[in-house]
């Protein structure tokens, strides 16, 4: 298995990629009639890859190839074949890249995903000459597809259960915060009166300590109320790339020298209808956790792109509607999490940090913000290797933004 940091060198985040990626709307230019049927090829459940014989570089791949191998189209088409084929398959392929080698071969072998996972498959190799260049077509029949469809169904059921559990916890926390807030108002009101009436210098110290504790408690309650409040955010057109750049700018001096932040932001990304302040909060919380997990060194990889969800894709995400989405992924090469931690991270007050270092409210806030923006979040993590969060938010084409919401992005 390759190291996580190697992946990030290529601009690829860590964690198993089980969700469809944004490879459907790629523009494939410059390879003549070979790619004329690219739209149809995207419908195939087989992985279809085309590489140049002269240097073994991949020049094209269909949507299934991107999804299964866990790369964006632009990443896949930068790779050499040896990054996606096991060394045993590569031995065979090398011979075929020269005109002296066999023109056709059918073998069984392993593919390697961006995550380093091996997938067994039946591989058909065909060398072809087109105009003045020589290409190797690689067709991989993915034998485990049916099994995965079954797994996806199970995963979806799991996600729905998880969402229901979170809803229960959040409603409970919200109710508690509401009642607690009322009590705190009484405490702080009375303590203020006491402070005004008090003439005793000794008592003043105690009153101030109570005032301070009340303030901290009401800030905590406020955060809980933010989590439990539904749909009460003021939304405008927000460009996620701006949010990311702004928070990174503000937090620059808190990022240790040995932490490298890679940005792969799609410059033509559409906006989302969002509360800019909450989006900043979401990114800030992720960044803070990543910095804690990195402990002074490693990489953070942040990527955005447009993803078109077909009705089949949308179904795999539970309650999302088909359409264009802004996809945002945030990966770090930090300490990662064991499964028992990963499944609880969105719960309010869940923390593995020492008292005083973590409140356990960072990711529950993230979860609530995602829910309020009709988005979707998943987290994959490997202990000792890193963590990847992936988000989807409904994209808003500029033309569809109501007049009153325009021009208010980047103000967050
Ligand atoms: N990037 C990450 N890498 C490893 N563990 C993480 C990461 N992000 C969150 N966690 C885990 O999730 C827990 C909850 O995170 P959060 O809700 O932000 O609360 P806090 O940071 O206050 O502990 C953390 O205590 C940590 O165990
Ligand atoms: Mg945190």
């Amino acid at each position: 298995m390759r190291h996580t940091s190697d992946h990030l060198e290529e601009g690829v985040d860590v964690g198993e990629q089980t969700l469809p990626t944004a490879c459907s709307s790629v523009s494939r230019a410059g390879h003549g009639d070979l790619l004329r049927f690219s739209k149809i090829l995207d419908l195939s459940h087989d992985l279809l890859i085309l590489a140049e014989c002269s240097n073994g570089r991949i020049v094209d791949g269909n949507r299934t190839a991107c999804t299964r191998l866990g790369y964006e189209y632009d990443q896949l088409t930068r790779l050499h074949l040896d990054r996606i084929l096991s060394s045993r398959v590569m031995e065979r392929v090398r011979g075929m890249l020269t005109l002296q080698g066999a023109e056709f071969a059918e073998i069984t072998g392993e593919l390697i995903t961006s995550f380093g996972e091996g997938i067994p498959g039946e591989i058909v190799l065909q060398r072809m000459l087109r105009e003045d260049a020589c290409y190797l077509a690689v067709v991989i029949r993915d034998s485990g597809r049916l099994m995965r469809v079954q797994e996806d169904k199970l995963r979806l059921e799991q996600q729905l259960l998880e969402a229901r559990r979170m809803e229960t916890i959040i409603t409970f926390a919200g109710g508690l915060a509401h009642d607690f807030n009322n009590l705190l108002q009484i405490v702080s009101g009375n303590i203020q009166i006491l402070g005004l009436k008090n003439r005793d210098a000794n008592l003043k110290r105690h009153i101030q300590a109570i005032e301070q504790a009340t303030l901290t408690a009401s800030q905590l309650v406020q955060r809980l109320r933010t989590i439990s409040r539904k749909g009460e955010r003021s939304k405008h057109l927000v460009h996620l790339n701006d949010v990311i750049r702004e928070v990174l700018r503000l937090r620059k001096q808190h990022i240790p020298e040995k932490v490298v932040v890679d940005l792969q932001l799609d410059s033509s990304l559409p906006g989302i209808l969002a509360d800019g302040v909450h989006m900043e909060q979401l990114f800030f919380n992720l960044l803070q956790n990543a910095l804690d997990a990195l402990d002074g060194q490693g990489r953070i990889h942040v990527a955005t792109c447009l993803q078109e969800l077909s009705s089949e894709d949308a179904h795999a995400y539970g309650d999302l509607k088909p359409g264009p989405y802004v996809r945002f992924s945030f990966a770090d090469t930090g300490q990662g999490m064991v499964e028992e931690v990963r499944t609880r991270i969105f719960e309010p007050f869940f923390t593995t940090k020492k008292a005083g270092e973590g409140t356990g409210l960072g990711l529950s806030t993230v979860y609530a913000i995602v829910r309020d923006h009709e988005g979707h979040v998943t987290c994959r993590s490997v202990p000792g290797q890193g963590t990847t969060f992936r988000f989807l938010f409904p994209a808003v084409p500029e033309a569809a933004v109501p007049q009153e919401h325009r021009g208010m992005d980047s103000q967050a």
Side-chain angles (χ1 to χ4, degrees):
M1 188 183 283
R2 285 169 291 157
H3 291 293
T4 302
S5 51
D6 291 347
H7 301 177
L8 291 176
E9 226 83 76
E10 293 288 335
V12 176
D13 47 13
V14 294
E16 187 185 359
Q17 182 125 6
T18 56
L19 305 175
T21 58
C23 295
S24 54
S25 54
V26 294
S27 66
R28 296 160 164 145
H31 303 292
D33 62 329
L34 285 172
L35 310 174
R36 229 159 70 193
F37 299 111
S38 61
K39 280 241 170 345
I40 298 172
L41 299 183
D42 275 342
L43 297 176
S44 167
H45 292 308
D46 291 338
L47 288 75
L48 308 175
I49 287 164
L50 195 67
E52 250 176 283
C53 291
S54 59
N55 53 18
R57 291 264 155 204
I58 297 171
V59 292
D60 197 10
N62 68 345
R63 183 187 163 126
T64 307
C66 297
T67 310
R68 279 303 285 145
L69 294 170
Y71 291 106
E72 302 296 343
Y73 180 78
D74 290 344
Q75 292 164 344
L76 185 71
T77 50
R78 281 208 310 261
L79 298 180
H80 188 276
L81 273 176
D82 65 5
R83 287 295 297 269
I84 62 148
L85 298 174
S86 70
S87 46
R88 199 180 65 77
V89 178
M90 264 319 285
E91 265 173 42
R92 199 59 191 275
V93 164
R94 263 189 210 102
M96 295 182 68
L97 293 176
T98 64
L99 289 176
Q100 291 76 41
E103 220 173 80
F104 177 83
E106 212 170 343
I107 52 176
T108 52
E110 253 194 358
L111 309 177
I112 312 293
T113 66
S114 65
F115 181 50
E117 176 203 17
I119 320 174
E122 294 155 37
I123 305 174
V124 179
L125 301 158
Q126 171 74 60
R127 195 177 60 235
M128 3 186 226
L129 276 175
R130 279 291 181 281
E131 289 150 15
D132 55 347
C134 170
Y135 295 94
L136 185 70
V138 184
V139 179
I140 302 134
R141 183 135 313 135
D142 186 359
S143 22
R145 203 182 90 81
L146 269 181
M147 213 167 77
R148 276 199 319 282
V149 169
Q150 205 58 29
E151 279 170 10
D152 280 355
K153 203 170 149 231
L154 272 177
R155 188 171 47 82
L156 189 59
E157 281 168 10
Q158 198 76 36
Q159 272 181 20
L160 287 177
L161 267 179
E162 180 63 16
R164 266 190 222 130
R165 194 174 68 91
M166 278 301 297
E167 227 32 70
T168 312
I169 297 175
I170 286 175
T171 310
F172 172 72
L176 205 67
H178 179 78
D179 291 350
F180 208 69
N181 193 45
N182 291 344
L183 294 172
L184 271 178
Q185 305 252 338
I186 299 171
V187 175
S188 81
N190 280 291
I191 208 73
Q192 269 173 20
I193 295 169
L194 206 62
L196 289 174
K197 288 188 174 171
N198 175 50
R199 300 275 168 264
D200 182 339
N202 280 335
L203 262 187
K204 195 174 170 200
R205 215 161 30 91
H206 297 296
I207 292 173
Q208 277 173 347
I210 299 174
E211 268 176 350
Q212 187 52 49
T214 318
L215 188 68
T216 311
S218 60
Q219 282 165 350
L220 204 67
V221 162
Q222 224 34 59
R223 291 188 68 180
L224 261 187
R225 294 184 78 193
T226 309
I227 293 169
S228 58
R229 243 181 2 215
K230 260 191 187 169
E232 286 178 30
R233 320 203 190 257
S234 97
K235 291 177 183 161
H236 303 290
L237 183 68
V238 169
H239 289 289
L240 210 52
N241 290 350
D242 294 345
V243 170
I244 293 166
R245 287 200 193 95
E246 177 64 3
V247 176
L248 283 174
R249 190 182 66 76
L250 293 172
R251 301 298 294 166
K252 205 170 170 188
Q253 70 272 35
H254 299 275
I255 301 176
E257 242 173 56
K258 287 191 184 155
V259 170
V260 178
V261 181
D262 297 320
L263 293 186
Q264 204 181 343
L265 309 180
D266 180 347
S267 54
S268 57
L269 199 70
I272 56 176
L273 212 51
D275 180 322
V277 175
H278 284 115
M279 281 297 149
E280 285 195 345
Q281 179 81 60
L282 177 146
F283 188 76
F284 176 93
N285 291 1
L286 294 175
L287 183 65
Q288 196 51 50
N289 282 342
L291 292 176
D292 289 343
L294 285 168
D295 203 15
Q297 57 179 350
R299 298 182 93 94
I300 292 175
H301 180 73
V302 184
T304 57
C305 67
L306 176 67
Q307 177 165 0
E308 196 67 46
L309 282 196
S310 66
S311 44
E312 193 191 333
D313 294 339
H315 183 67
Y317 289 97
D319 50 1
L320 294 192
K321 298 185 189 89
Y325 281 79
V326 164
R327 186 179 132 135
F328 155 54
S329 64
F330 187 106
D332 67 65
T333 58
Q335 65 188 27
M337 292 171 247
V338 291
E339 197 56 8
E340 295 81 68
V341 170
R342 195 197 58 79
T343 51
R344 299 193 57 196
I345 52 173
F346 295 119
E347 286 177 21
F349 299 117
F350 175 78
T351 181
T352 56
K353 293 169 193 170
K354 283 193 227 127
E357 283 179 16
T359 57
L361 289 178
L363 289 180
S364 39
T365 305
V366 166
Y367 184 90
I369 293 172
V370 171
R371 181 200 54 188
D372 273 3
H373 288 83
E374 280 115 45
H376 192 267
V377 55
T378 54
C379 171
R380 309 251 158 209
S381 191
V382 183
Q385 290 196 18
T387 301
T388 302
F389 288 91
R390 290 204 174 85
F391 297 85
L392 287 174
F393 292 107
V396 186
E398 199 90 19
V401 179
Q403 194 63 41
E404 68 267 26
H405 288 153
R406 285 194 201 172
M408 307 212 46
D409 50 312
S410 317
Q411 284 188 5

